[in-house]
Amino acid sequence: MKKAYLFAILFFLFSLAALLRLRHFEAERGVELAKQLYTQAVENLARSISLSHFQRDKFFRAVLEEDFEAVRDELESLKRNYPIVEDVEIVNSERADFDFFDVSASGTKLLLRFRIYNDETTDRVPGKVVLATVDGPGLAESLAIECVEIVPSGKDFVYGLKYRFSKFVLFFELLPVAFALPAVGMFVALFAFMRKQFDVQKRLLERERTYRNVLSAIVELSKMILSEENLEGMYQTILEKALEVIPNAQAGSILVKRQNSYVYVAAVGYDLKELSKVVFPAEAVFRWVKGASSIKRKSDVVSYERRIDDEMFKILQKAGRLEEIMCSLNFAIEVEGEILAQLNLDNFEREDAFNEETVELANLFANHLGLLISRLRSQEKILQQERMMEYLSNHDALTGLANRRLFQDYGEKMISLARREQKPVAVLFIDLSKFKIVNDSYGHTVGDEVLKIVGSRLERVLRESDIVARFGGDEFVALVYDCTPSDLKKIAERIIRGIEEPIEIDGKTFKISAEIGVSVYPTDGESLDELIRLADVSMYEAKRRGVKVVFYEELKRETS
């Protein structure tokens, strides 16, 4: 009997030792998973911060130009967007062994260093980096890493951080001292522990997989934003990618600011065509996204939406499935201190569908939405500059009339059209008289105002199909299509009357006049250049004779 008891005890001790060995192996495996998850999270965090804050022309210029207020505003914006960041500052650094960001540690703090680039990442600020300090234990806690604790000294973790096993794990490491416990109780405790460890590792594996999916989506979106030409279509793409990888996100939408209101530009799970009819006032969106939390429950959603008018609310009820939403994630996208968009992710099943971990993941997509909007704004500025350059290349900068280049292009087309339709085209060369007196006596500022007024009067007198250009100084040239000689005479007389109307500038009245020379296709010439030259000759003949209008046809008759 004693041998049987001894055998039972030895068997129990052997089983216990085997289980404890297995537990130690599982603990080490848990640490490896924790390291992978932690590294993935830090890489995502650093990459997101770099993309959304330190690859921007505005911040790049602010640092180079030492615009301290703009720099401070951007760094404060970073801390608002990433609460895990405890401190951020610009420091001098001659290190050149990293491209976009570098991660190290000091004690329990993570130190993230960032290079400062322009939008295209073709240039960076020399000798300076941004240093961001992140609470290492806080990040581990936000990732629900339970098997280890980040401590000032201990075993090597990642990036130079140290760790020790958590108290929960240490408790089971010391189980050998409890050999006297009843066998049944011991086995029950070990089974409960193993079950919990399995659940922890399962959660860690799921988080690691989620972070990998998010990182893959972010990388893909970054490439698309930088290369895609149809940027407006990217709103829908960003939303669809977010719904693919954000846990429990079943539907979503994006609103973008248009003038002083916000409208829907992308939706999944909703009727976008109907939602696009809904217009939110700016103050309503500001109040909503600036709430205490990014997570809104069903009661928050319904009570907020009822602040808009009844018609809009009815559309939201039907097309936006408003009363079905149980939980919603909302992010404001700020660019240069202005809320330009809002990202919404929704769940229809549970009010606790989203948590702080989900908020962190979704915030990565919100930051890329900000990157897209910044690119759209840059693109719009470039288009505006191109349109302005195109306009200036074809128009007189002072009067806004066509310049010689535009007149030449338009005139050639009119001559070709007249040739096909066998219609006449007239060129009127207009030269102001008495303008030099005004310009010399009152200065170029007054003279310029006179020219602007004359230009607007010429446009008013002529038809929309006609064109008038300023050739320089006080010379203007008009092109008139399909007019009889009597009609041309009346047009010339209207031009003279319009120019001779008194001009009021700063309480002073000015009176000027003009002489006009007229040539006509095809009777006077076949090409535009020839018609301009003959009209110019006729204008000078009008000045010589002291009359207002001379047709080149008259000069031909007089010399024949």
Side-chain angles (χ1 to χ4, degrees):
M1 182 66 67
K2 291 181 180 179
K3 291 181 178 181
Y5 278 119
L6 180 61
F7 177 78
I9 292 172
L10 289 174
F11 178 76
F12 172 74
L13 293 175
F14 177 79
S15 300
L16 181 61
L19 288 172
L20 288 174
R21 178 62 181 169
L22 178 61
R23 185 274 139 301
H24 183 76
F25 173 78
E26 292 295 331
E28 291 294 337
R29 172 62 178 159
V31 171
E32 290 304 313
L33 288 174
K35 287 180 178 180
Q36 294 176 24
L37 177 61
Y38 199 89
T39 301
Q40 195 81 59
V42 172
E43 292 287 318
N44 285 347
L45 175 66
R47 186 174 287 104
S48 176
I49 291 175
S50 178
L51 277 169
S52 57
H53 291 277
F54 305 132
Q55 297 179 32
R56 301 285 182 86
D57 280 342
K58 182 184 177 184
F59 189 68
F60 176 78
R61 290 194 301 270
V63 175
L64 286 179
E65 297 168 3
E66 297 187 345
D67 184 347
F68 300 115
E69 184 176 354
V71 170
R72 183 177 63 253
D73 290 345
E74 184 68 23
L75 297 184
E76 288 299 321
S77 173
L78 185 154
K79 291 175 69 175
R80 288 195 303 272
N81 292 336
Y82 299 91
I84 196 71
V85 175
E86 293 184 334
D87 191 27
V88 59
E89 60 181 332
I90 294 180
V91 298
N92 295 323
S93 175
E94 298 303 326
R95 289 180 57 190
D97 55 351
F98 65 93
D99 290 327
F100 293 97
F101 61 85
D102 175 66
V103 184
S104 59
S106 176
T108 61
K109 305 297 183 183
L110 281 171
L111 303 179
L112 278 58
R113 293 178 175 83
F114 298 92
R115 291 286 190 191
I116 305 166
Y117 286 89
N118 60 359
D119 278 351
E120 305 299 326
T121 65
T122 56
D123 197 9
R124 66 187 183 192
V125 176
K128 291 184 183 295
V129 297
V130 177
L131 174 63
T133 304
V134 175
D135 179 33
L139 181 58
E141 183 179 351
S142 71
L143 297 172
I145 295 176
E146 300 175 349
C147 59
V148 300
E149 296 175 355
I150 306 299
V151 292
S153 61
K155 297 182 179 180
D156 289 336
F157 192 50
V158 292
Y159 302 117
L161 292 172
K162 305 294 182 181
Y163 81 94
R164 68 184 178 197
F165 286 115
S166 64
K167 293 178 180 178
F168 179 76
V169 175
L170 288 174
F171 170 76
F172 284 94
E173 290 284 352
L174 297 175
L175 273 178
V177 301
F179 281 166
L181 291 176
V184 174
M186 183 68 71
F187 279 117
V188 169
L190 284 170
F191 178 77
F193 168 75
M194 297 298 293
R195 177 66 180 271
K196 182 168 184 178
Q197 282 297 100
F198 175 77
D199 291 341
V200 169
Q201 290 185 28
K202 184 178 178 181
R203 289 200 303 271
L204 287 173
L205 285 170
E206 288 175 351
R207 286 192 179 93
E208 182 183 1
R209 183 164 54 251
T210 299
Y211 270 91
R212 280 207 187 103
N213 291 338
V214 169
L215 179 60
S216 176
I218 291 297
V219 170
E220 184 178 351
L221 285 174
S222 299
K223 292 178 180 177
M224 294 174 70
I225 290 173
L226 294 174
S227 62
E228 182 68 35
E229 293 186 3
N230 178 26
L231 292 178
E232 287 289 343
M234 283 296 299
Y235 289 122
Q236 188 71 21
T237 303
I238 289 176
L239 182 59
E240 291 171 358
K241 287 290 183 184
L243 288 169
E244 285 179 12
V245 298
I246 301 301
N248 299 326
Q250 298 174 328
S253 59
I254 294 176
L255 294 97
V256 170
K257 189 173 185 181
R258 300 279 192 252
Q259 296 180 341
N260 292 321
S261 303
Y262 293 81
V263 296
Y264 286 95
V265 296
V268 173
Y270 302 116
D271 187 340
L272 179 59
K273 184 177 180 181
E274 287 297 307
L275 284 179
S276 62
K277 300 175 184 177
V278 178
V279 178
F280 287 93
E283 61 272 13
V285 170
F286 180 82
R287 184 174 59 245
W288 175 245
V289 298
K290 286 296 185 181
S293 173
S294 299
I295 303 174
K296 305 294 190 298
R297 310 302 178 189
K298 182 175 180 63
S299 58
D300 300 320
V301 175
V302 175
S303 63
Y304 168 76
E305 303 295 3
R306 287 190 182 278
R307 296 177 186 176
I308 64 176
D309 64 54
D310 292 340
E311 183 179 352
M312 298 292 182
F313 180 68
K314 288 178 182 178
I315 296 175
L316 281 173
Q317 275 186 311
K318 185 177 180 180
R321 303 169 63 185
L322 178 61
E323 296 184 353
E324 298 178 46
I325 299 173
M326 299 297 293
C327 191
S328 183
L329 271 180
N330 313 106
F331 296 90
I333 288 78
E334 292 189 35
V335 177
E336 298 180 4
E338 181 182 7
I339 297 178
L340 295 181
Q342 178 183 336
L343 171 65
N344 306 306
L345 299 175
D346 304 318
N347 180 277
F348 302 118
E349 297 174 352
R350 310 193 328 256
E351 283 202 283
D352 63 345
F354 302 127
N355 53 34
E356 291 306 316
E357 179 187 349
T358 320
V359 171
E360 182 181 345
L361 293 174
N363 196 42
L364 296 175
F365 286 90
N367 287 330
H368 270 66
L369 190 54
L371 181 62
L372 170 63
I373 292 172
S374 294
R375 176 119 195 270
L376 279 168
R377 289 188 116 193
S378 299
Q379 190 179 73
E380 180 60 28
K381 288 179 182 178
I382 292 171
L383 289 174
Q384 288 176 354
Q385 291 171 354
E386 288 177 350
R387 286 194 290 266
M388 179 58 70
M389 292 298 293
E390 177 68 19
Y391 179 85
L392 291 176
S393 68
N394 289 306
H395 292 80
D396 175 55
L398 178 63
T399 62
L401 297 176
N403 60 13
R404 188 186 292 265
R405 175 185 173 184
L406 180 58
F407 184 88
Q408 195 78 27
D409 291 343
Y410 187 83
E412 295 288 354
K413 293 175 183 176
M414 288 300 99
I415 294 294
S416 297
L417 179 63
R419 187 174 294 115
R420 290 195 302 271
E421 296 184 347
Q422 297 184 345
K423 301 285 188 181
V425 177
V427 173
L428 288 73
F429 204 107
I430 307 159
D431 187 80
L432 303 183
S433 58
K434 301 180 184 177
F435 171 75
K436 189 174 184 303
I437 298 173
V438 173
N439 204 43
D440 291 345
S441 301
Y442 295 94
H444 292 293
T445 301
V446 172
D448 287 348
E449 287 301 314
V450 170
L451 291 174
K452 291 178 186 178
I453 293 171
V454 169
S456 65
R457 290 180 180 179
L458 290 174
E459 284 189 306
R460 188 181 65 212
V461 168
L462 295 170
R463 301 170 303 181
E464 287 188 9
S465 59
D466 302 329
I467 185 173
V468 60
R470 181 183 175 217
F471 268 33
D474 56 358
E475 293 181 338
F476 299 85
V477 181
L479 190 75
V480 179
Y481 187 80
D482 191 18
C483 277
T484 64
S486 60
D487 290 335
L488 284 174
K489 186 175 181 181
K490 291 176 183 178
I491 290 174
E493 289 172 352
R494 287 205 306 270
I495 290 174
I496 295 296
R497 285 198 301 271
I499 292 174
E500 289 182 344
E501 287 179 16
I503 296 174
E504 299 284 342
I505 300 175
D506 295 336
K508 297 181 178 62
T509 302
F510 303 96
K511 292 183 179 181
I512 60 174
S513 187
E515 287 79 31
I516 302 175
V518 183
S519 62
V520 180
Y521 168 88
T523 56
D524 297 331
E526 294 284 336
S527 70
L528 182 62
D529 288 338
E530 185 180 11
L531 291 171
I532 293 172
R533 182 181 65 80
L534 296 178
D536 188 25
V537 169
S538 302
M539 180 272 295
Y540 276 106
E541 184 61 21
K543 283 184 176 291
R544 189 183 70 80
R545 295 181 182 185
V547 298
K548 298 299 182 184
V549 183
V550 169
F551 283 73
Y552 187 74
E553 179 67 24
E554 298 172 9
L555 298 182
K556 285 197 298 183
R557 286 200 302 269
E558 292 173 3
T559 57
S560 62

